[in-house]
């Protein structure tokens, strides 16, 4: 009896889940819209007609006299009705509501039906076939049938269709194969032992017989045996072969059924295991509603006192401000009440949970997959709201304080003080290097801010080093609070003591007399993969003063055409190559991992950025550079004696940029290629910048270089997003220096440290 009582309680609690959003009554003959919501077939047809689409030929209502079983003649009542006559809903769905099978070539495009879905709040495209593509929600029909049988909401008695009219008995069984209702005696009569009819499936008496399985709306009698995850649709074997599903993730319906059922079961069990959390949140919401009422009364009294002090000058503004306050109170109360209603829906005996429990009783796999997607989405959203619970409205009314210190001439502009609007983070100036630099501004219409609060946290990491994953990981990450910089006076902030190679989430909000305003949108910054190496361009080695100009700060260099470059160009017709000029950093790396960044002027002809052995760089500097042989190309492994040791790493590793592009090889460094990074110099090796050996990509605003000395590996990054671009190797048998090579005119700027 306790079990029956629990089932009855569950059934009563899910009544709200069974309502049609159009007629607000228990759903009848539901069909699934493309948005996964279900609606009565009749309601859907009426809505489409009301929106100007052609009216379909609808079946009679199940309880209407035309469809009452015992209005037939005795001769008709003595045999089970053929299946084709018992499927009016399928006849409507098969009839192609809104289709134009006879459309000619010269006619316009087919009419695409749009259905206004109430839960979605938008128009859902049904396509030119209208309701034809909308499958019946057989699982929902079975749940409604069980609901009606358990709760017995005054449903009409179903009479036997085969008793003689004067002595008709109430039906006790329905036959899914005969699609008819029988009393006990008639059922035995029409299903005698030893005949095929004895194997028919008997069900509860019903006025709405359903097909046993879902069939494809485009290919009659074809069973839906597959599920397309990309389109989120059930497919038959013929639909699977369509070109539209090429490359899509298609699963057998049994696999989709099992995966979706496991997900929903885990989600339901998670919510049921967190009932204490739901109750605590409901209590908090109810307390917030009470506080809202109390604080609104206090704020209203303060407002009235201020109005009384200013009397006639404030009389006109009094009504408008009181109305604004009342609207705020009503809006917040409604928002918090809506949260209470939402959390009550997550209780064990609430509608959604009860509906889910009924849904999990479904054993027909295609039907379950078709009906369960919307429930899965709702449960996932409920879990997300449960994990990241915040009040929908602030119960305090600190924003509704009046500043009465202004002069009387400003009384016409008197209004509630407003907290600053959400700041806008300047993503162009915000960056991560040796520290994080965050820059923002307030919208023009915002109230001024006294100061700002900057908050940041490491993404996906919780105390103890565990990475975020799954529901438990999400809760653990949520418990790890934000770190804050309070009372920041300007519109920028510097954050230090950060982890390397990590993504940080940052946000900011302003504060004034009314309190804190809304947060800005969150931005994500990726810290460098290694400690930042700060160095200057070394001008002590032999430079061509007429070609290379180094800034006074030794952070910027520019290559300009000079006499020697013109002379080299004059010899170009005799197969001479243009010259290459190198700069190095004033540091020599002998251990560890280091990172630095620079920007190359987009108009540069060719600039190479990378690293090289200090000894080889000095040797290369002191050799004559205006020579025709490609032996002295710094991008070539020949300088390192690679002819003698093909298995050794090259002495140089460069990435070539120029003309707004970056030239990257198709493959990483190969020991037998004889080239340091697989890119032939477009000048010294005979390739033009428009057709280099490797691939070309747009030049990033900043290029990052990371050297791992122990591994002899150099990785190049897009320094703005920290996306790896290419990786090569370099000989680290001795000190290694950052190196830069100019071929033709160009300029580069070392990234300034934030400090």
């Amino acid at each position: 009896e306790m079990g029956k009582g629990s089932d009855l309680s569950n059934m009563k609690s899910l009544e709200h889940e069974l309502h049609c959003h159009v007629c607000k009554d228990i759903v009848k003959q539901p069909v699934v819209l493309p948005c996964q919501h279900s609606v009565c077939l009749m309601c859907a047809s009426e809505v489409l007609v009301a929106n100007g689409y052609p009216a379909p030929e609808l079946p009679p209502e199940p309880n209407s006299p035309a469809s009452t079983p015992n209005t037939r003649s005795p001769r008709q009542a003595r045999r089970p009705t053929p299946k084709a006559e018992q499927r009016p809903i399928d006849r409507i769905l098969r009839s192609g509501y809104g289709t134009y099978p006879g459309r000619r070539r010269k006619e316009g495009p087919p009419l695409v039906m749009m259905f206004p879905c109430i839960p979605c709040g938008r128009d859902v495209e049904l396509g030119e076939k209208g309701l034809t593509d909308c499958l019946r929600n057989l699982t929902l029909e079975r749940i409604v049938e069980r609901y009606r049988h358990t709760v017995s909401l005054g449903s009409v008695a179903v009479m036997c269709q085969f008793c003689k009219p004067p002595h008709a008995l109430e039906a006790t069984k329905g036959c899914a194969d005969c699609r008819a209702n029988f009393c006990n005696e008639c059922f035995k009569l029409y299903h005698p032992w030893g005949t095929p009819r004895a194997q028919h499936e008997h069900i509860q008496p019903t006025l709405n017989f359903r097909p046993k399985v879902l069939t494809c709306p485009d290919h009659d009698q074809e069973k839906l045996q597959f599920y397309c995850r990309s389109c989120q649709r059930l497919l038959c074997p013929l639909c699977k072969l369509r070109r539209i599903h090429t490359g899509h993730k298609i699963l057998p319906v049994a696999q989709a059924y099992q995966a979706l059922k496991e997900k929903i079961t885990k989600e339901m069990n998670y919510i049921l295991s967190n009932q204490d959390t739901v109750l605590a949140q409901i209590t908090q919401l109810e307390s917030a509603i009470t506080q809202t009422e109390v604080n609104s009364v206090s704020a209203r009294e303060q407002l009235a006192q201020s109005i009384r002090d200013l009397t006639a000058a404030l009389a006109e503004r009094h009504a408008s401000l009181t109305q604004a306050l009342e609207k705020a109170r009503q809006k917040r109360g409604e928002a918090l009440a809506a949260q209470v209603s939402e959390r009550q829906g997550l209780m064990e005996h609430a509608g959604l949970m009860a509906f889910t429990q009924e849904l999990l009783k479904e054993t027909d796999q295609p039907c379950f997959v078709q009906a369960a997607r919307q429930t899965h989405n709702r449960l996932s959203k409920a879990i997300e709201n449960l994990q990241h619970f915040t009040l929908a409205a602030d119960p305090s009314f600190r924003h509704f304080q009046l500043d009465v210190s202004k002069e009387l001439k400003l009384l016409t502009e008197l209004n509630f003080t407003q907290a600053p609007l959400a700041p806008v983070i300047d993503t162009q100036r915000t960056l991560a290097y040796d520290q994080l630099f965050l820059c923002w501004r307030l919208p023009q219409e915002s109230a001024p801010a006294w100061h700002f609060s900057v908050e940041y946290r490491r993404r996906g990491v919780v105390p103890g080093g565990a990475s975020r994953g799954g529901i438990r990981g999400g809760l653990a990450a949520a418990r790890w609070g934000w770190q804050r910089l309070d009372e920041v006076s300007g519109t920028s902030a510097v954050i230090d003591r950060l982890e390397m190679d990590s993504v940080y989430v940052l946000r900011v909000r302003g504060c004034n007399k009314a309190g804190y305003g809304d947060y800005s949108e969150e931005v994500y910054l990726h810290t460098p993969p290694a400690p930042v190496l700060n160095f200057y361009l070394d001008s002590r080695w032999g430079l061509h003063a007429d070609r290379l100009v180094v800034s006074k700060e030794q952070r910027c260099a520019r290559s300009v055409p000079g006499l020697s470059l013109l002379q080299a160009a004059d010899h170009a017709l005799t197969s001479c190559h243009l010259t290459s000029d190198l700069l190095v950093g004033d540091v020599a790396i002998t251990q560890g991992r280091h990172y630095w960044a620079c920007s190359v002027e987009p108009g540069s002809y060719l600039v190479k950025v990378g690293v090289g052995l200090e000894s080889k760089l000095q040797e290369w500097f002191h050799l004559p550079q205006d020579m025709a042989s490609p032996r002295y190309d710094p991008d070539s492994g020949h300088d390192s004696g690679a002819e003698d040791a093909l298995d050794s790493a090259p002495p140089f590793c460069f990435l070539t940029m120029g003309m707004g592009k970056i030239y990257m090889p198709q493959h990483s460094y190969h020991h037998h290629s004889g080239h340091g990074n697989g890119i032939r110099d477009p000048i010294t090796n005979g390739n033009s910048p428009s057709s280099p050996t490797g691939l070309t990509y747009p030049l990033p605003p900043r290029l990052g270089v990371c050297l791992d000395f122990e591994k002899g590996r150099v990785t190049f990054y897009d320094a703005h997003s920290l996306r790896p671009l290419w990786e090569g190797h370099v000989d680290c048998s001795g000190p290694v220096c950052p190196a830069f090579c100019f071929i033709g005119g160009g300029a580069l700027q070392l990234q300034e440290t934030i400090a």
Side-chain angles (χ1 to χ4, degrees):
E1 292 181 0
M2 292 181 62
K4 292 182 179 179
S6 177
D7 290 343
L8 181 60
S9 175
N10 284 344
M11 280 296 178
K12 287 184 177 180
S13 63
L14 64 82
E15 179 179 353
H16 179 72
E17 300 289 331
L18 305 181
H19 279 185
C20 170
H21 295 285
V22 177
C23 64
K24 308 301 181 184
D25 198 0
I26 301 296
V27 68
K28 296 183 287 291
Q29 298 179 334
V31 292
V32 182
L33 301 174
C35 60
Q36 304 300 319
H37 291 111
S38 295
V39 65
C40 301
L41 174 66
M42 295 288 291
C43 295
S45 303
E46 291 172 0
V47 169
L48 291 175
V49 171
N51 287 345
Y53 297 108
E57 181 183 350
L58 294 175
E61 288 287 347
N63 296 331
S64 64
S67 64
T68 304
N70 52 1
T71 57
R72 301 175 182 173
S73 65
R75 182 181 300 272
Q76 291 175 322
R78 282 299 173 181
R79 61 179 179 84
T81 310
K83 294 182 181 180
E85 299 177 15
Q86 290 287 332
R87 301 178 64 183
I89 179 175
D90 295 290
R91 188 169 67 250
I92 289 296
L93 293 178
R94 300 283 184 196
S95 63
Y97 179 93
T99 61
Y100 303 88
R103 187 171 69 249
R104 298 178 180 177
R105 290 185 179 179
K106 295 184 179 180
E107 294 181 3
L111 179 65
V112 177
M113 292 190 174
M114 304 297 293
F115 185 87
C117 180
I118 296 177
C120 293
R122 62 179 177 85
D123 289 341
V124 177
E125 182 178 334
L126 298 181
E128 62 177 287
K129 295 183 180 180
L131 297 176
T132 304
D133 283 338
C134 298
L135 297 173
R136 292 179 64 179
N137 196 336
L138 299 183
T139 297
L140 183 57
E141 289 188 31
R142 293 188 182 98
I143 295 176
V144 169
E145 197 76 23
R146 290 199 295 269
Y147 168 80
R148 290 188 181 278
H149 183 265
T150 303
V151 181
S152 300
L153 290 177
S155 57
V156 179
V158 180
M159 307 304 293
C160 177
Q161 297 175 234
F162 301 97
C163 292
K164 293 182 179 180
H167 305 288
L169 299 177
E170 185 174 345
T172 59
K173 292 184 177 66
C175 180
D177 296 275
C178 299
R179 309 186 68 80
N181 297 304
F182 300 85
C183 64
N184 284 333
E185 295 301 324
C186 292
F187 188 83
K188 294 177 182 178
L189 179 63
Y190 284 96
H191 299 82
W193 288 102
T195 65
R197 285 190 177 182
Q199 305 300 323
H200 285 188
E201 177 187 0
H202 64 273
I203 58 176
Q204 293 289 339
T206 180
L207 297 176
N208 181 28
F209 285 98
R210 302 174 295 274
K212 288 186 174 182
V213 295
L214 290 171
T215 55
C216 180
D218 296 328
H219 306 100
D220 198 14
Q221 303 305 320
E222 288 289 338
K223 294 182 179 180
L224 299 169
Q225 301 175 359
F226 301 95
Y227 179 71
C228 178
R229 292 181 59 182
S230 304
C231 303
Q232 295 190 356
R233 291 194 60 179
L234 291 166
L235 307 176
C236 72
L238 298 179
C239 291
K240 180 185 176 185
L241 301 178
R242 287 180 172 175
R243 185 178 300 175
I244 191 175
H245 298 292
T246 302
H248 287 190
K249 181 68 174 179
I250 297 179
L251 305 174
V253 73
Q255 185 177 346
Y257 165 84
Q258 188 64 32
L260 192 55
K261 190 165 186 175
E262 289 177 359
K263 287 182 180 179
I264 291 181
T265 301
K266 290 180 180 178
E267 291 165 344
M268 184 187 69
N269 291 337
Y270 177 81
I271 292 179
L272 292 179
S273 65
N274 283 273
Q275 292 296 290
D276 292 340
T277 303
V278 177
L279 285 173
Q281 292 177 356
I282 291 176
T283 302
Q284 185 179 355
L285 289 167
E286 292 174 344
S287 175
I289 292 175
T290 303
Q291 293 175 13
T292 300
E293 295 293 338
V294 173
N295 292 335
S296 69
V297 173
S298 176
R300 191 182 296 114
E301 292 175 354
Q302 181 182 0
L303 175 62
Q305 182 61 44
S306 299
I307 297 298
R308 284 193 295 270
D309 294 341
L310 299 175
T311 57
L314 300 176
E316 183 179 356
R317 299 290 295 170
H318 182 204
S320 61
L321 293 177
T322 304
Q323 183 180 6
L325 178 65
E326 185 63 23
K327 286 183 178 179
R329 183 199 63 79
Q330 182 180 0
K331 183 177 180 181
R332 296 182 186 190
E334 290 175 354
L336 293 171
Q339 275 193 298
V340 172
S341 176
E342 179 185 355
R343 291 308 185 276
Q344 288 174 343
L346 302 181
M347 296 302 295
E348 183 172 0
H349 295 297
L352 179 58
M353 293 295 98
F355 178 79
T356 304
Q357 290 173 348
E358 288 299 316
L359 178 67
L360 292 174
K361 295 177 182 179
E362 175 62 55
T363 58
D364 189 312
Q365 298 177 354
C367 296
F368 179 85
V369 172
Q370 177 217 12
R373 172 56 56 181
Q374 178 64 24
T375 302
H376 167 55
N377 293 339
R378 292 180 62 188
L379 290 173
S380 299
K381 185 176 180 181
I383 290 177
E384 182 179 355
N385 292 336
L386 183 63
Q387 296 172 350
H388 305 91
F389 172 74
T390 56
L391 294 178
D394 188 353
S396 69
F397 277 73
R398 60 182 183 274
H399 297 173
F400 292 83
Q401 298 180 10
L402 284 176
D403 183 2
V404 295
S405 62
K406 295 181 180 180
E407 293 80 356
L408 289 177
K409 64 179 181 179
L410 299 177
L411 287 177
T412 54
E413 302 176 0
L414 188 65
N415 207 334
F416 294 112
T417 57
Q418 298 292 326
L421 297 179
V424 179
I425 294 180
D426 188 347
T427 56
Q428 298 299 319
R429 298 175 59 191
T430 296
L431 58 92
Y433 198 42
D434 58 320
Q435 297 169 319
L436 292 186
F437 178 72
L438 185 65
C439 183
W440 64 87
R441 60 176 175 82
L442 283 175
Q444 291 184 351
E445 62 275 14
S446 172
W450 292 351
H451 54 80
F452 295 91
S453 174
V454 178
E455 299 185 3
Y456 61 97
R457 66 177 175 85
R458 189 179 175 192
R459 183 185 181 189
V461 175
V462 298
S467 60
R468 182 175 60 184
I471 295 175
R472 297 183 181 274
L475 286 177
R479 287 195 294 267
W480 186 43
W482 293 74
Q483 301 181 62
R484 284 197 307 271
L485 297 178
D486 291 322
E487 298 187 6
V488 178
S489 57
T491 56
S492 63
V494 176
I495 303 171
D496 55 6
R497 296 189 298 274
L498 302 174
E499 297 287 338
M500 292 184 299
D501 200 14
S502 302
V503 176
Y504 280 86
V505 189
L506 300 97
R507 64 186 183 184
V508 62
R509 60 175 176 170
C511 179
N512 59 15
K513 185 176 182 179
Y516 282 101
D518 294 331
Y519 284 105
S520 66
E521 291 188 6
E522 296 178 355
V523 296
Y524 298 85
L525 292 180
H526 198 150
T527 56
V532 171
L533 179 70
N534 189 27
F535 60 89
Y536 299 92
L537 297 175
D538 193 348
S539 58
R540 293 174 299 169
W541 292 4
L543 302 177
H544 294 277
D546 59 338
R547 291 206 300 262
L548 280 179
V549 178
V550 181
S551 66
K552 183 178 180 181
E553 298 81 13
Q554 295 181 264
R555 306 284 297 180
C556 179
R558 178 177 295 275
S559 174
V560 294
L563 180 61
S564 57
L565 185 61
L566 295 176
Q567 292 174 345
D570 184 52
H571 292 294
L573 296 177
T574 60
S575 300
C576 287
H577 298 274
L578 296 181
T579 58
S580 299
D581 299 312
L582 267 71
L583 280 174
V584 296
D586 62 350
V587 296
I589 302 170
T590 57
Q591 63 179 357
R593 299 174 68 240
H594 304 275
Y595 175 85
W596 61 93
C598 65
S599 56
V600 174
E601 189 176 90
S604 302
Y605 187 69
L606 283 179
V607 178
K608 293 172 175 290
V609 177
V611 297
L613 273 176
E614 184 180 30
S615 58
K616 293 295 182 181
L617 287 172
Q618 290 179 342
E619 176 185 342
W620 195 87
F621 263 105
H622 291 90
L623 286 174
Q625 298 183 43
D626 297 326
M627 298 186 65
S629 171
R631 174 183 179 83
Y632 305 105
D633 172 20
D635 203 14
S636 170
H638 295 179
D639 291 348
S640 64
E643 306 93 338
D644 304 323
L646 294 178
D647 58 346
S648 62
F652 308 117
C653 184
F654 289 96
L655 203 58
T656 306
M657 290 159 285
M659 308 304 292
K661 296 181 181 179
I662 183 169
Y663 307 109
M664 297 192 298
Q666 296 177 351
H667 306 287
S668 60
Y669 169 76
H670 192 279
H671 295 302
H672 297 279
S673 65
H675 292 278
N677 63 354
I679 304 178
R680 298 180 63 196
D681 189 296
I683 298 298
T684 59
N685 287 349
N687 288 3
S688 66
S690 61
S691 60
T693 304
L695 304 175
T696 61
Y697 288 92
L699 180 67
R702 291 181 294 130
L703 179 73
V705 183
C706 182
L707 171 64
D708 190 329
F709 188 87
E710 278 70 23
K711 295 183 179 180
R713 184 172 60 194
V714 182
T715 307
F716 297 89
Y717 295 87
D718 179 341
H720 182 72
S721 62
L722 261 293
R723 179 175 61 91
L725 298 176
W726 183 73
E727 184 177 287
H729 293 83
V730 66
D731 183 3
C732 290
S733 58
V736 177
C737 295
F740 310 90
C741 177
F742 293 89
I743 301 175
L748 69 84
Q749 170 76 49
L750 293 180
Q751 175 69 45
E752 297 287 347
T753 56
I754 295 174

